[in-house]
């Protein structure tokens, strides 16, 4: 499903992020986007394949040693340019990429609209970054603290990465339900939704646990739980080669596909099943609901 790749270090981020997104393409997605920090916090995004995206940005400024990229598989809002990630906060100081769903986004969005926020997309993700900024402004805390406090208010599943224009040496990631791996190189750091984009740069990785927020700030990694408990990240060495990681520990891709079916079905239905009401919500066809109900046999 959707993919996340991010980089902070001494190299140019864009080529690493794009190569990583290409490695994650096998998961299936509907749009791609990148944010880069280079004095500005520039966001570029496009519906379609990573190749459509790279064509689209070919005349843009892609310089920057901090960047993050996302391939989206829409749950909230049509697959189009506007709903593609990354999403900016209200002031555009922050940007987010997100895998997963924020279940209580509608109530939070309404509160934020009442406080004067305006939204550019139909996604649950944009609501989360606006909430983070609202908390940051109200409580005067650092961005990672605002991320932690905001995640305490949301219900859902997520893997996120957040960048801030005013804190250009910092990258924040968090997870609940969707995986996040932090790759630790020499004076450089990688974040991804699985190890495939990272393994060619470093074998040292730390997998975040559910409910953890990781901050890389001026070359130092700290991990806290959403409940504000500091954790010592468990750094392990990846023993597998890239090909073996891509096969997910199975001898053949066919075995991987067979054994991943339950997970794939789970991921496909995530955010689309309302078990309490016994309803299935397929965003892409909701506007044709009446036509379908009234269709003649
Ligand atoms: N719920 C988010 C959206 O619809 C993220 C989807 C994803 O996991 O790519 O934009």
């Amino acid at each position: 499903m959707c993919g996340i790749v991010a980089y902070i270090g001494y190299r140019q981020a864009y080529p690493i992020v794009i190569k990583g997104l290409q490695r994650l393409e096998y998961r299936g997605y509907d749009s791609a986007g990148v944010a880069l920090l280079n004095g500005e916090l520039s966001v570029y995004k496009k519906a379609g394949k990573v190749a459509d995206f790279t064509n689209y940005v070919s005349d843009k400024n892609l310089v920057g040693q901090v960047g993050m990229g996302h391939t989206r598989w829409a749950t909230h809002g049509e697959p189009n340019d506007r709903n593609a990630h990354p999403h900016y906060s209200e002031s555009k100081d922050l940007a987010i990429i997100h895998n997963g769903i924020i279940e209580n986004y509608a109530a939070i969005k309404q509160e934020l609209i009442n406080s004067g926020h305006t939204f550019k997309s139909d996604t649950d993700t944009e609501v989360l970054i606006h909430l983070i900024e609202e908390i940051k402004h109200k409580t005067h805390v650092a961005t990672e603290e605002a991320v932690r406090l905001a995640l305490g208010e949301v219900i859902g599943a997520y893997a996120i990465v957040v960048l801030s224009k005013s804190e250009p040496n910092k990258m924040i990631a968090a997870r609940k339900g969707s995986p996040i791996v932090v790759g630790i190189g020499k004076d450089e750091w990688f974040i991804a939704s699985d190890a495939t984009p990272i393994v060619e740069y470093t074998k040292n990785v730390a997998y975040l646990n559910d409910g953890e927020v990781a901050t890389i700030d001026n070359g130092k990694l700290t991990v806290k739980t959403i409940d504000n408990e500091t954790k010592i990240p468990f750094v392990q060495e990846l023993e597998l080669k890239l090909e073996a990681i891509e096969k997910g520990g199975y001898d053949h891709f066919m075995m991987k596909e067979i054994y991943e079916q339950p997970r794939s079905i789970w991921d496909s239905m995530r955010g689309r099943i309302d078990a309490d009401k016994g309803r299935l919500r397929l965003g892409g066809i909701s506007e044709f609901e009446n036509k379908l109900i009234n269709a003649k046999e």
Side-chain angles (χ1 to χ4, degrees):
M1 302 294 115
C2 29
I4 280 181
V5 189
Y7 176 82
I8 181 165
Y10 56 87
R11 308 188 214 201
Q12 287 301 309
Y14 178 77
I16 294 171
V17 166
I18 284 296
K19 199 169 178 193
L21 290 183
Q22 284 161 344
R23 288 219 188 288
L24 296 174
E25 276 195 291
Y26 71 92
R27 292 157 155 246
Y29 62 98
D30 54 56
S31 49
V34 167
L36 293 165
L37 271 172
N38 47 20
E40 292 301 312
L41 175 54
S42 310
V43 165
Y44 307 112
K45 48 198 196 166
K46 197 89 198 125
K49 295 283 157 201
V50 175
D52 300 315
F53 174 78
T54 52
N55 282 338
Y56 165 67
V57 294
S58 59
D59 60 346
K60 307 268 191 287
N61 175 13
L62 301 172
V63 170
Q65 293 166 345
V66 184
M68 61 182 183
H70 185 259
T71 44
R72 176 179 187 237
W73 197 63
T75 62
H76 292 66
E78 271 179 42
N80 57 25
D81 296 352
R82 203 165 52 81
N83 289 333
H85 300 207
H87 291 285
Y88 279 123
S89 60
E90 180 75 21
S91 75
K92 295 197 169 177
D93 181 55
L94 306 177
I96 190 170
I97 52 177
H98 165 220
N99 288 348
I101 47 157
I102 306 300
E103 285 170 28
N104 56 340
Y105 82 102
I108 299 172
K109 186 171 186 176
Q110 194 50 54
E111 267 182 44
L112 290 166
I113 290 172
N114 295 347
S115 327
H117 287 248
T118 52
F119 291 90
K120 312 265 181 313
S121 80
D122 310 311
T123 63
D124 48 345
T125 306
E126 192 187 11
V127 174
L128 178 55
I129 195 68
H130 279 239
L131 176 66
I132 292 169
E133 183 162 77
E134 178 78 5
I135 290 176
K136 188 177 170 184
H137 287 170
K138 272 200 180 144
T139 54
H140 308 288
V141 290
T143 309
E144 63 271 30
E145 206 46 23
V147 167
R148 191 182 68 73
L149 293 170
L151 292 179
E153 290 188 24
V154 304
I155 302 168
Y158 47 79
I160 60 167
V161 182
V162 172
L163 291 179
S164 163
K165 182 174 152 183
S166 54
E167 294 156 291
N169 298 318
K170 197 180 268 186
M171 182 174 265
I172 302 154
R175 73 157 278 187
K176 189 174 168 208
S178 299
I180 280 279
V181 193
V182 181
I184 303 156
K186 192 171 164 355
D187 301 322
E188 58 181 351
W189 306 79
F190 306 80
I191 291 174
S193 43
D194 72 41
T196 44
I198 296 179
V199 68
E200 66 182 280
Y201 305 104
T202 177
K203 295 261 184 286
N204 295 323
V205 296
Y207 285 86
L208 287 193
N209 293 311
D210 262 355
E212 287 182 348
V213 182
T215 308
I216 298 152
D217 185 7
N218 281 304
K220 194 169 175 299
L221 170 69
T222 47
V223 177
K224 269 190 176 188
T225 65
I226 291 172
D227 300 328
N228 206 16
E229 201 186 319
T230 302
K231 292 276 175 181
I232 297 174
F234 172 62
V235 181
Q236 52 182 295
E237 203 173 316
L238 280 178
E239 283 162 11
L240 298 175
K241 291 205 169 18
L242 179 60
E243 199 197 332
I245 292 178
E246 281 179 340
K247 284 191 195 145
Y250 296 98
D251 288 341
H252 305 283
F253 277 111
M254 193 173 86
M255 295 304 282
K256 176 173 185 267
E257 282 175 17
I258 291 169
Y259 282 99
E260 280 187 349
Q261 278 173 11
R263 178 82 217 170
S264 302
I265 291 169
W266 174 263
D267 279 341
S268 314
M269 288 298 141
R270 196 182 57 196
R272 297 180 169 85
I273 286 183
D274 184 343
D276 294 338
K277 294 200 185 114
R279 278 175 67 100
L280 189 63
R281 194 172 51 83
L282 300 174
I285 60 169
S286 57
E287 56 189 287
F288 305 105
E289 196 173 318
N290 279 336
K291 274 196 181 160
L292 287 169
I293 289 169
N294 297 321
K296 297 211 171 63
E297 282 175 23

